[in-house]
Amino acid sequence: VQVAESGGGLVQTGGSLRLSCSASGFSFDDYSMVWFRQIPGGEREGISCINWKGITPQYVDSVKGRFNISRDNAKSTLYLQMNSLDSEDTGTYYCAVIRTAYCVDEWWDPRRVKYWGQGTQVTVSS
């Protein structure tokens, strides 16, 4: 199993980034996918989830209206479009496969994760 994020980097406040997550070694379209974020000194938290069909995405309040999660099952790839970035978005972003096909059962809990990516760093500077 391989889960690999890309697209992180340094961006100015108000800017945008698009993260990608390429997956292989398992049946990608059997699972919901979640983006987690870990800020410096903080815990890893789920910020957005998308179900196996790629519909009815879920977001935490801190990113709602600014981030957009999507997936392409034909390419086994997950995306996170991040807009209007600010310093509070700085952190390491992880792609994760959770154990259900739908975004239920506290999808934001790291204990629900079946597979993790290695993470990609996002730094927002003013």
Side-chain angles (χ1 to χ4, degrees), residues 34-38 42-48 60 94-99 104-117:
V34 176
W35 285 102
F36 282 79
R37 176 171 70 189
Q38 187 165 18
E43 296 183 350
R44 199 171 296 188
E45 62 168 353
I47 59 172
S48 185
V60 296
Y94 297 89
C95 171
V97 183
I98 62 170
R99 301 179 189 276
V104 295
D105 298 332
E106 299 180 336
W107 56 262
W108 56 86
D109 189 334
R111 293 172 295 182
R112 298 289 184 265
V113 173
K114 184 176 179 69
Y115 304 122
W116 287 103

Side-chain angles (χ1 to χ4, degrees), residues 3-17:
V3 179
E5 305 90 340
S6 61
L10 176 64
V11 63
Q12 290 189 328
T13 299
S16 298
L17 278 176

Side-chain angles (χ1 to χ4, degrees), residues 54-115:
I55 59 174
T56 57
Q58 306 290 311
Y59 303 94
V60 296
D61 287 346
S62 61
V63 306
K64 198 173 295 183
R66 300 188 298 122
F67 290 11
N68 182 59
I69 190 172
S70 61
R71 66 189 292 164
D72 184 338
N73 287 345
K75 296 181 179 179
S76 296
T77 302
L78 176 73
Y79 304 99
L80 186 68
Q81 177 66 44
M82 306 186 294
N83 302 320
S84 302
L85 287 163
D86 63 34
S87 59
E88 294 184 351
D89 296 313
T90 292
T92 304
Y93 286 70
Y94 297 89
C95 171
V97 183
I98 62 170
R99 301 179 189 276
T100 59
Y102 293 91
C103 298
V104 295
D105 298 332
E106 299 180 336
W107 56 262
W108 56 86
D109 189 334
R111 293 172 295 182
R112 298 289 184 265
V113 173
K114 184 176 179 69
Y115 304 122

